[in-house]
Coordinates of all heavy atoms in Angstrom, one line a residue:
M17 N 89.5 50.0 86.3 CA 89.3 51.4 85.8 C 88.9 51.4 84.4 O 89.5 50.7 83.6 CB 90.6 52.2 86.1 CG 90.5 53.6 85.7 SD 92.0 54.4 86.3 CE 91.5 56.0 86.5
A18 N 87.9 52.1 84.0 CA 87.4 52.2 82.6 C 88.4 52.9 81.7 O 89.1 53.8 82.2 CB 86.1 52.9 82.6
P19 N 88.5 52.5 80.5 CA 89.4 53.2 79.6 C 88.9 54.6 79.3 O 87.8 54.9 79.4 CB 89.3 52.3 78.3 CG 88.1 51.5 78.4 CD 87.8 51.4 79.9
L20 N 89.9 55.4 79.0 CA 89.6 56.9 78.8 C 89.1 57.2 77.4 O 88.8 58.3 77.1 CB 90.8 57.7 79.1 CG 91.3 57.6 80.5 CD1 92.6 58.4 80.7 CD2 90.3 58.1 81.5
A21 N 88.9 56.2 76.6 CA 88.5 56.4 75.2 C 87.2 57.1 75.1 O 86.9 57.8 74.1 CB 88.6 55.1 74.4
H22 N 86.3 56.8 76.1 CA 85.0 57.4 76.0 C 84.9 58.9 76.4 O 83.9 59.5 76.2 CB 84.0 56.5 76.8 CG 84.3 56.7 78.3 ND1 85.3 56.0 78.9 CD2 83.7 57.4 79.3 CE1 85.3 56.3 80.2 NE2 84.3 57.2 80.4
C23 N 85.9 59.4 77.0 CA 85.9 60.8 77.4 C 86.1 61.7 76.2 O 86.9 61.4 75.3 CB 87.1 61.0 78.4 SG 86.9 60.1 79.9
A24 N 85.4 62.8 76.2 CA 85.5 63.8 75.2 C 86.8 64.5 75.3 O 87.2 64.9 76.4 CB 84.3 64.7 75.2
S25 N 87.5 64.7 74.2 CA 88.7 65.5 74.3 C 88.4 67.0 74.1 O 87.4 67.3 73.4 CB 89.7 65.0 73.3 OG 89.1 64.8 72.0
P26 N 89.2 67.9 74.6 CA 88.9 69.3 74.5 C 89.1 69.7 73.1 O 89.8 69.1 72.3 CB 90.0 69.9 75.4 CG 91.1 68.9 75.5 CD 90.4 67.6 75.4
P27 N 88.4 70.8 72.7 CA 88.5 71.3 71.3 C 89.9 71.8 71.0 O 90.6 72.3 71.9 CB 87.5 72.4 71.3 CG 87.3 72.9 72.7 CD 87.5 71.6 73.5
P28 N 90.3 71.6 69.8 CA 91.7 72.0 69.5 C 91.8 73.6 69.6 O 90.8 74.3 69.3 CB 91.9 71.5 68.0 CG 90.5 71.4 67.5 CD 89.6 71.0 68.7
H29 N 93.0 74.0 69.9 CA 93.2 75.5 70.0 C 93.3 76.0 68.6 O 93.9 75.5 67.8 CB 94.4 75.8 70.8 CG 94.3 75.4 72.2 ND1 93.6 76.0 73.1 CD2 94.9 74.3 72.9 CE1 93.6 75.5 74.3 NE2 94.4 74.4 74.2
R30 N 92.7 77.1 68.4 CA 92.8 77.8 67.1 C 93.9 78.8 67.2 O 94.0 79.5 68.2 CB 91.5 78.6 66.8 CG 90.4 77.6 66.4 CD 89.2 78.4 66.0 NE 88.1 77.9 66.8 CZ 87.0 78.6 67.1 NH1 86.8 79.8 66.6 NH2 86.0 78.0 67.8
P31 N 94.7 78.9 66.2 CA 95.8 79.9 66.3 C 95.3 81.3 66.2 O 94.3 81.6 65.6 CB 96.7 79.6 65.0 CG 95.8 78.8 64.1 CD 94.7 78.1 65.0
R32 N 95.9 82.1 67.0 CA 95.5 83.6 67.0 C 96.1 84.3 65.8 O 97.2 83.9 65.3 CB 96.1 84.2 68.2 CG 95.4 83.7 69.5 CD 95.9 84.5 70.6 NE 94.8 84.8 71.5 CZ 95.0 85.4 72.7 NH1 96.1 85.8 73.1 NH2 93.9 85.6 73.4
P33 N 95.4 85.3 65.3 CA 96.0 86.0 64.2 C 97.3 86.8 64.7 O 97.4 87.1 65.8 CB 94.9 87.0 63.8 CG 94.0 87.1 64.9 CD 94.1 85.8 65.7
P34 N 98.2 87.0 63.8 CA 99.4 87.7 64.2 C 99.1 89.1 64.6 O 98.2 89.7 64.1 CB 100.3 87.7 63.0 CG 99.4 87.3 61.8 CD 98.2 86.6 62.4
L35 N 99.9 89.6 65.6 CA 99.7 91.0 66.1 C 100.3 91.9 65.1 O 101.3 91.7 64.5 CB 100.4 91.2 67.4 CG 99.8 90.4 68.6 CD1 100.6 90.7 69.8 CD2 98.3 90.8 68.8
R36 N 99.6 93.0 64.9 CA 100.1 94.1 64.0 C 100.4 95.2 64.9 O 99.8 95.4 65.9 CB 99.0 94.4 63.0 CG 98.8 93.4 61.9 CD 97.7 93.7 61.0 NE 96.6 92.9 61.4 CZ 95.4 93.1 61.1 NH1 95.0 94.1 60.4 NH2 94.4 92.2 61.4
P37 N 101.4 96.0 64.5 CA 101.8 97.2 65.4 C 100.7 98.0 65.8 O 100.7 98.5 67.0 CB 102.8 97.9 64.5 CG 103.3 96.9 63.6 CD 102.2 96.0 63.3
G38 N 99.7 98.3 65.0 CA 98.6 99.1 65.4 C 97.7 98.5 66.5 O 96.9 99.2 67.2
R39 N 97.8 97.2 66.7 CA 97.0 96.5 67.7 C 97.6 96.4 69.1 O 97.0 96.0 70.0 CB 96.6 95.1 67.2 CG 95.8 95.2 66.0 CD 95.4 93.8 65.5 NE 94.5 93.2 66.4 CZ 94.2 91.9 66.4 NH1 94.7 91.1 65.4 NH2 93.4 91.3 67.3
I40 N 98.9 96.7 69.2 CA 99.6 96.6 70.5 C 99.4 97.9 71.2 O 99.6 99.0 70.7 CB 101.1 96.3 70.2 CG1 101.3 95.0 69.5 CG2 101.8 96.3 71.6 CD1 102.7 94.7 69.1
R41 N 98.9 97.7 72.5 CA 98.7 98.9 73.3 C 99.6 98.7 74.5 O 99.6 97.8 75.3 CB 97.3 99.0 73.8 CG 97.1 100.2 74.7 CD 95.6 100.3 75.0 NE 95.5 101.5 75.9 CZ 94.8 101.5 77.0 NH1 94.2 100.4 77.4 NH2 94.8 102.6 77.7
R42 N 100.5 99.7 74.7 CA 101.5 99.6 75.8 C 101.1 100.8 76.8 O 100.9 101.9 76.4 CB 102.9 99.8 75.3 CG 103.4 98.6 74.5 CD 104.9 98.8 74.3 NE 105.4 97.6 73.6 CZ 106.6 97.4 73.4 NH1 107.5 98.3 73.6 NH2 107.0 96.3 72.8
E43 N 101.2 100.4 78.0 CA 101.0 101.4 79.0 C 102.4 102.1 79.3 O 103.4 101.4 79.3 CB 100.5 100.8 80.3 CG 99.1 100.2 80.2 CD 98.1 101.2 80.0 OE1 98.2 102.3 80.5 OE2 97.1 100.9 79.3
P44 N 102.4 103.3 79.4 CA 103.7 104.0 79.7 C 104.3 103.5 81.1 O 103.5 103.3 82.0 CB 103.4 105.5 79.7 CG 101.9 105.6 79.9 CD 101.3 104.3 79.4
H45 N 105.5 103.3 81.1 CA 106.2 103.0 82.4 C 106.1 104.2 83.3 O 106.4 105.3 82.9 CB 107.7 102.6 82.2 CG 108.3 102.2 83.4 ND1 108.9 103.0 84.3 CD2 108.5 100.9 83.9 CE1 109.4 102.3 85.3 NE2 109.2 101.0 85.0
P46 N 105.7 104.0 84.6 CA 105.5 105.2 85.4 C 106.7 105.9 85.8 O 106.7 107.1 86.1 CB 104.8 104.6 86.7 CG 105.1 103.2 86.7 CD 105.3 102.8 85.2
G47 N 107.9 105.3 85.8 CA 109.1 106.0 86.1 C 109.5 105.9 87.5 O 108.6 105.6 88.4
P48 N 110.7 106.2 87.9 CA 111.2 106.1 89.3 C 110.6 107.1 90.3 O 110.6 106.8 91.5 CB 112.7 106.3 89.1 CG 112.9 107.1 87.9 CD 111.8 106.7 87.0
D49 N 110.1 108.2 89.8 CA 109.5 109.2 90.7 C 108.0 109.1 90.8 O 107.4 109.9 91.5 CB 109.8 110.6 90.1 CG 111.3 110.9 90.2 OD1 112.0 110.2 91.0 OD2 111.8 111.9 89.6
H50 N 107.4 108.2 90.1 CA 105.9 108.0 90.2 C 105.5 107.5 91.6 O 106.2 106.6 92.1 CB 105.4 107.1 89.1 CG 104.0 107.1 88.9 ND1 103.1 106.4 89.7 CD2 103.2 107.8 88.0 CE1 101.9 106.6 89.3 NE2 101.9 107.4 88.3
P51 N 104.4 108.0 92.2 CA 104.0 107.5 93.5 C 103.8 106.0 93.5 O 104.1 105.4 94.5 CB 102.7 108.2 93.7 CG 102.8 109.5 92.9 CD 103.6 109.1 91.7
D52 N 103.3 105.4 92.4 CA 103.2 103.9 92.4 C 104.5 103.2 92.6 O 104.6 102.2 93.2 CB 102.5 103.5 91.2 CG 101.0 103.9 91.1 OD1 100.4 104.3 92.2 OD2 100.4 103.8 90.0
T53 N 105.5 103.8 91.9 CA 106.9 103.2 92.0 C 107.4 103.3 93.5 O 108.0 102.4 94.0 CB 107.8 103.9 91.0 OG1 107.3 103.8 89.7 CG2 109.2 103.3 91.1
L54 N 107.2 104.5 94.1 CA 107.6 104.7 95.5 C 106.9 103.7 96.4 O 107.5 103.1 97.3 CB 107.3 106.1 95.9 CG 108.1 107.2 95.2 CD1 107.6 108.6 95.6 CD2 109.6 107.1 95.4
T55 N 105.6 103.5 96.1 CA 104.8 102.5 96.9 C 105.3 101.1 96.7 O 105.5 100.3 97.7 CB 103.3 102.6 96.6 OG1 102.9 103.9 96.9 CG2 102.5 101.6 97.4
S56 N 105.7 100.7 95.5 CA 106.2 99.4 95.3 C 107.5 99.2 96.0 O 107.8 98.1 96.6 CB 106.4 99.2 93.7 OG 105.1 99.2 93.1
R57 N 108.4 100.2 95.9 CA 109.7 100.1 96.6 C 109.5 100.0 98.1 O 110.2 99.2 98.8 CB 110.6 101.2 96.3 CG 111.1 101.1 94.8 CD 112.2 102.1 94.4 NE 112.5 103.1 95.3 CZ 112.8 104.4 94.9 NH1 112.8 104.7 93.6 NH2 113.1 105.3 95.8
H58 N 108.5 100.7 98.6 CA 108.2 100.7 100.1 C 107.7 99.3 100.4 O 108.1 98.7 101.5 CB 107.2 101.8 100.4 CG 106.6 101.7 101.8 ND1 105.3 101.4 102.0 CD2 107.2 101.8 102.9 CE1 105.1 101.4 103.3 NE2 106.3 101.6 103.9
N59 N 106.8 98.7 99.6 CA 106.3 97.4 99.9 C 107.4 96.3 99.8 O 107.4 95.4 100.6 CB 105.2 97.0 98.9 CG 104.0 97.8 99.1 OD1 103.7 98.3 100.2 ND2 103.2 97.9 98.0
L60 N 108.4 96.5 98.9 CA 109.5 95.6 98.8 C 110.4 95.7 100.1 O 110.8 94.6 100.7 CB 110.4 95.9 97.6 CG 111.6 95.0 97.4 CD1 111.3 93.5 97.4 CD2 112.4 95.5 96.2
A61 N 110.6 96.9 100.6 CA 111.3 97.0 101.8 C 110.6 96.4 103.0 O 111.2 95.7 103.8 CB 111.5 98.5 102.1
G62 N 109.3 96.5 103.0 CA 108.5 95.8 104.0 C 108.6 94.3 103.9 O 108.7 93.5 104.9
A63 N 108.7 93.7 102.7 CA 108.9 92.3 102.5 C 110.2 91.9 103.0 O 110.4 90.8 103.7 CB 108.7 91.9 101.0
Y64 N 111.3 92.7 102.7 CA 112.6 92.4 103.3 C 112.5 92.3 104.8 O 113.1 91.4 105.4 CB 113.6 93.5 102.8 CG 114.1 93.4 101.4 CD1 114.6 94.5 100.8 CD2 114.0 92.2 100.7 CE1 115.1 94.5 99.5 CE2 114.5 92.2 99.4 CZ 115.0 93.4 98.8 OH 115.5 93.3 97.5
R65 N 111.9 93.3 105.4 CA 111.8 93.3 106.8 C 111.1 92.1 107.4 O 111.5 91.5 108.4 CB 111.1 94.6 107.3 CG 111.1 94.7 108.8 CD 110.4 96.0 109.2 NE 109.4 95.8 110.2 CZ 108.3 96.4 110.3 NH1 108.0 97.4 109.6 NH2 107.4 96.1 111.2
S66 N 110.0 91.7 106.7 CA 109.2 90.5 107.2 C 110.0 89.2 107.2 O 109.7 88.3 107.9 CB 107.9 90.4 106.5 OG 108.1 90.0 105.1
V67 N 111.0 89.1 106.3 CA 111.8 87.9 106.2 C 113.1 88.0 106.9 O 114.0 87.2 106.8 CB 112.0 87.4 104.8 CG1 110.6 87.0 104.2 CG2 112.7 88.4 103.9
G68 N 113.3 89.1 107.7 CA 114.5 89.3 108.4 C 115.7 89.9 107.7 O 116.8 90.0 108.3
R69 N 115.5 90.4 106.5 CA 116.6 91.0 105.8 C 116.6 92.5 106.1 O 116.3 93.4 105.3 CB 116.4 90.8 104.3 CG 116.6 89.3 103.9 CD 116.1 89.0 102.5 NE 116.9 89.7 101.5 CZ 116.7 89.4 100.2 NH1 115.8 88.5 99.8 NH2 117.4 90.1 99.3
L70 N 116.9 92.8 107.4 CA 116.7 94.2 107.9 C 117.7 95.2 107.3 O 117.2 96.3 107.1 CB 116.9 94.1 109.4 CG 115.9 93.2 110.1 CD1 116.1 93.2 111.6 CD2 114.4 93.7 109.9
D71 N 118.9 94.8 107.0 CA 119.8 95.8 106.5 C 119.3 96.3 105.1 O 119.3 97.5 104.8 CB 121.2 95.3 106.3 CG 121.9 95.1 107.7 OD1 121.5 95.8 108.7 OD2 122.8 94.2 107.8
E72 N 118.8 95.3 104.3 CA 118.3 95.7 103.0 C 117.0 96.5 103.1 O 116.8 97.4 102.4 CB 118.0 94.4 102.2 CG 119.3 93.7 101.7 CD 119.0 92.3 101.2 OE1 118.8 91.4 102.0 OE2 119.1 92.2 100.0
A73 N 116.2 96.1 104.1 CA 114.9 96.8 104.3 C 115.2 98.3 104.7 O 114.6 99.2 104.1 CB 114.1 96.1 105.4
I74 N 116.1 98.5 105.6 CA 116.4 99.8 106.1 C 117.0 100.6 104.9 O 116.6 101.8 104.7 CB 117.4 99.8 107.3 CG1 116.6 99.2 108.5 CG2 118.0 101.1 107.6 CD1 117.5 98.8 109.7
A75 N 117.9 100.1 104.2 CA 118.5 100.8 103.1 C 117.5 101.2 102.0 O 117.5 102.4 101.6 CB 119.6 100.0 102.4
L76 N 116.6 100.3 101.7 CA 115.5 100.6 100.7 C 114.5 101.6 101.3 O 114.1 102.5 100.6 CB 114.8 99.4 100.3 CG 113.9 99.5 99.1 CD1 114.6 100.2 97.9 CD2 113.4 98.1 98.7
H77 N 114.2 101.5 102.6 CA 113.3 102.5 103.2 C 113.9 103.9 103.2 O 113.2 104.8 102.9 CB 113.0 102.1 104.7 CG 111.8 101.1 104.8 ND1 110.6 101.3 104.3 CD2 111.7 100.0 105.6 CE1 109.8 100.3 104.6 NE2 110.4 99.5 105.4
E78 N 115.2 103.9 103.5 CA 115.9 105.2 103.5 C 115.9 105.9 102.1 O 115.6 107.1 102.0 CB 117.3 105.1 104.0 CG 117.4 104.8 105.5 CD 118.8 104.4 106.0 OE1 119.7 104.1 105.1 OE2 119.0 104.5 107.2
Q79 N 116.2 105.1 101.1 CA 116.2 105.6 99.8 C 114.8 106.0 99.3 O 114.6 107.1 98.8 CB 116.7 104.5 98.8 CG 116.7 104.9 97.4 CD 117.0 103.7 96.4 OE1 117.1 102.6 96.9 NE2 117.0 103.9 95.2
T80 N 113.8 105.2 99.7 CA 112.4 105.5 99.3 C 111.9 106.8 100.0 O 111.2 107.6 99.5 CB 111.5 104.3 99.5 OG1 112.1 103.2 98.8 CG2 110.1 104.6 99.0
L81 N 112.3 106.9 101.3 CA 111.9 108.1 102.1 C 112.5 109.3 101.5 O 111.7 110.3 101.3 CB 112.3 107.9 103.5 CG 112.0 109.1 104.4 CD1 110.5 109.3 104.5 CD2 112.6 108.9 105.8
T82 N 113.7 109.3 101.1 CA 114.4 110.5 100.5 C 113.6 110.9 99.2 O 113.3 112.1 99.0 CB 115.8 110.2 100.1 OG1 116.5 109.9 101.4 CG2 116.5 111.4 99.4
E83 N 113.3 109.9 98.4 CA 112.6 110.2 97.1 C 111.1 110.6 97.4 O 110.6 111.5 96.7 CB 112.6 108.9 96.2 CG 113.9 108.5 95.7 CD 114.6 109.6 94.9 OE1 113.9 110.2 94.0 OE2 115.8 110.0 95.2
S84 N 110.5 110.0 98.4 CA 109.1 110.4 98.7 C 109.1 111.9 99.2 O 108.1 112.6 98.8 CB 108.6 109.4 99.8 OG 107.2 109.7 100.0
V85 N 110.0 112.3 100.0 CA 110.0 113.7 100.5 C 110.2 114.6 99.3 O 109.5 115.6 99.2 CB 111.1 113.9 101.5 CG1 111.4 115.3 101.8 CG2 110.8 113.1 102.8
R86 N 111.1 114.2 98.4 CA 111.3 115.1 97.2 C 110.1 115.1 96.3 O 109.7 116.2 95.8 CB 112.6 114.5 96.5 CG 113.0 115.4 95.3 CD 114.2 114.9 94.6 NE 114.0 113.5 94.0 CZ 113.3 113.2 92.9 NH1 112.8 114.2 92.2 NH2 113.2 112.0 92.5
V87 N 109.5 114.0 96.1 CA 108.4 113.9 95.1 C 107.0 114.3 95.7 O 106.3 115.1 95.1 CB 108.3 112.5 94.5 CG1 107.1 112.4 93.6 CG2 109.6 112.2 93.7
L88 N 106.7 113.8 96.9 CA 105.4 114.0 97.5 C 105.4 115.0 98.5 O 104.3 115.6 98.8 CB 104.9 112.6 98.1 CG 104.8 111.5 97.1 CD1 104.5 110.2 97.8 CD2 103.8 111.8 96.0
G89 N 106.5 115.3 99.2 CA 106.6 116.3 100.2 C 106.7 115.7 101.6 O 106.3 114.5 101.8
Q90 N 107.2 116.5 102.5 CA 107.5 116.0 103.9 C 106.2 115.6 104.6 O 106.3 114.7 105.4 CB 108.1 117.2 104.6 CG 108.6 116.9 106.0 CD 109.8 116.1 106.0 OE1 110.6 116.1 105.1 NE2 110.1 115.4 107.1
D91 N 105.1 116.2 104.4 CA 103.8 115.9 105.1 C 102.9 115.0 104.4 O 101.8 114.8 104.9 CB 103.1 117.2 105.5 CG 104.0 118.1 106.3 OD1 104.8 117.6 107.2 OD2 104.0 119.4 106.1
H92 N 103.2 114.4 103.3 CA 102.3 113.5 102.6 C 102.1 112.2 103.4 O 103.1 111.7 104.0 CB 102.9 113.2 101.2 CG 102.0 112.5 100.3 ND1 101.7 111.2 100.3 CD2 101.2 113.0 99.3 CE1 100.8 110.9 99.4 NE2 100.5 112.0 98.7
P93 N 100.9 111.6 103.4 CA 100.7 110.4 104.1 C 101.6 109.2 103.7 O 102.0 108.5 104.6 CB 99.2 110.1 103.8 CG 98.6 111.4 103.4 CD 99.7 112.2 102.7
V94 N 101.9 109.1 102.5 CA 102.8 108.0 102.1 C 104.2 108.2 102.7 O 104.8 107.3 103.2 CB 102.9 107.9 100.5 CG1 104.0 107.0 100.1 CG2 101.5 107.5 100.0
T95 N 104.7 109.5 102.7 CA 105.9 109.8 103.3 C 105.9 109.4 104.8 O 106.9 108.9 105.3 CB 106.3 111.3 103.0 OG1 106.3 111.6 101.6 CG2 107.7 111.6 103.6
A96 N 104.9 109.8 105.4 CA 104.7 109.5 106.9 C 104.8 108.0 107.1 O 105.4 107.5 108.0 CB 103.5 110.1 107.4
T97 N 104.1 107.2 106.3 CA 104.1 105.8 106.4 C 105.5 105.2 106.2 O 105.9 104.3 107.0 CB 103.1 105.1 105.4 OG1 101.8 105.7 105.7 CG2 103.0 103.6 105.6
I98 N 106.2 105.6 105.2 CA 107.5 105.2 105.0 C 108.4 105.5 106.2 O 109.2 104.6 106.6 CB 108.1 105.8 103.7 CG1 107.3 105.3 102.5 CG2 109.6 105.4 103.5 CD1 107.6 106.0 101.2
R99 N 108.3 106.7 106.7 CA 109.1 107.1 107.9 C 108.8 106.2 109.0 O 109.7 105.7 109.7 CB 108.8 108.5 108.2 CG 109.7 109.1 109.3 CD 109.4 110.6 109.5 NE 109.6 111.5 108.4 CZ 108.7 112.0 107.6 NH1 107.4 111.9 107.9 NH2 109.0 112.8 106.6
E100 N 107.5 105.9 109.3 CA 107.2 105.0 110.4 C 107.7 103.6 110.2 O 108.2 103.0 111.2 CB 105.7 104.9 110.6 CG 105.0 106.2 111.0 CD 103.5 106.3 110.9 OE1 102.9 105.3 110.5 OE2 103.0 107.4 111.1
N101 N 107.6 103.1 109.0 CA 108.1 101.7 108.7 C 109.7 101.7 108.8 O 110.2 100.6 109.2 CB 107.6 101.2 107.4 CG 106.1 100.8 107.5 OD1 105.6 100.5 108.6 ND2 105.4 100.9 106.4
L102 N 110.3 102.7 108.4 CA 111.8 102.8 108.6 C 112.1 102.7 110.0 O 113.0 102.0 110.4 CB 112.3 104.1 107.9 CG 113.8 104.4 108.2 CD1 114.7 103.3 107.7 CD2 114.2 105.7 107.5
A103 N 111.4 103.5 110.9 CA 111.7 103.4 112.3 C 111.5 102.0 112.9 O 112.2 101.5 113.7 CB 110.8 104.5 113.0
A104 N 110.4 101.4 112.4 CA 110.1 100.0 112.9 C 111.2 99.0 112.4 O 111.6 98.1 113.2 CB 108.8 99.5 112.3
A105 N 111.7 99.2 111.2 CA 112.8 98.3 110.8 C 114.1 98.5 111.6 O 114.8 97.6 112.0 CB 113.1 98.5 109.3
R106 N 114.4 99.8 111.9 CA 115.5 100.1 112.7 C 115.4 99.5 114.1 O 116.3 99.0 114.7 CB 115.8 101.6 112.8 CG 116.3 102.2 111.5 CD 116.4 103.7 111.6 NE 117.1 104.2 110.4 CZ 117.0 105.5 110.1 NH1 116.3 106.4 110.8 NH2 117.6 105.9 109.0
T107 N 114.2 99.6 114.7 CA 113.9 99.0 116.0 C 114.1 97.5 116.0 O 114.6 96.9 116.9 CB 112.5 99.4 116.5 OG1 112.4 100.8 116.6 CG2 112.2 98.8 117.8
A108 N 113.6 96.9 114.9 CA 113.7 95.4 114.8 C 115.2 95.0 114.7 O 115.6 94.0 115.2 CB 112.9 95.0 113.6
R109 N 116.0 95.8 114.1 CA 117.4 95.5 113.9 C 118.1 95.6 115.3 O 119.0 94.8 115.6 CB 118.1 96.4 112.9 CG 119.6 96.0 112.7 CD 120.2 96.7 111.6 NE 120.3 98.2 111.9 CZ 120.7 99.1 111.0 NH1 121.2 98.7 109.8 NH2 120.7 100.3 111.3
T110 N 117.8 96.6 116.1 CA 118.4 96.7 117.4 C 117.8 95.9 118.4 O 118.4 95.7 119.5 CB 118.4 98.2 117.8 OG1 117.1 98.6 118.0 CG2 119.2 99.1 116.9
G111 N 116.5 95.4 118.2 CA 115.7 94.7 119.1 C 116.3 93.7 119.9 O 116.2 93.2 120.9

């Protein structure tokens, strides 16, 4: 095997200038009632269900459904999806 001395080495990293408070941009946290937060909790419940953690999935689906009804309304499509997935998790547990 040929020695590695002939290979070019990568350029050295240049240090970045320090951040100043005016340069930092933070996105506001959406909060527990934000539709994106509800969707994330719903997705986590689905992940629990997919790995067989049905009791945790059901509890999280129930909590998320309650919040979704309050925030989005009884007839919202996200609320309907959460309700359907809660029913599927309950069926899987009794299955």
Side-chain angles (χ1 to χ4, degrees):
M17 183 172 205
L20 298 177
H22 70 281
C23 296
S25 45
H29 294 288
R30 287 186 233 157
R32 293 182 139 177
L35 293 177
R36 288 177 255 162
R39 295 180 68 189
I40 297 174
R41 181 173 180 231
R42 290 188 175 184
E43 295 295 324
H45 186 274
D49 292 342
H50 192 279
D52 290 347
T53 304
L54 296 173
T55 299
S56 294
R57 289 191 350 219
H58 173 243
N59 290 339
L60 177 59
Y64 284 157
R65 184 177 129 213
S66 70
V67 297
R69 294 168 61 175
L70 298 176
D71 290 336
E72 291 167 284
I74 291 168
L76 190 53
H77 275 310
E78 288 172 342
Q79 176 189 5
T80 306
L81 178 60
T82 299
E83 294 300 313
S84 185
V85 168
R86 183 178 61 78
V87 173
L88 303 174
Q90 186 74 22
D91 298 324
H92 193 278
V94 170
T95 304
T97 300
I98 296 169
R99 188 178 296 109
E100 291 166 7
N101 288 331
L102 171 59
R106 287 177 173 160
T107 299
R109 184 173 61 183
T110 61

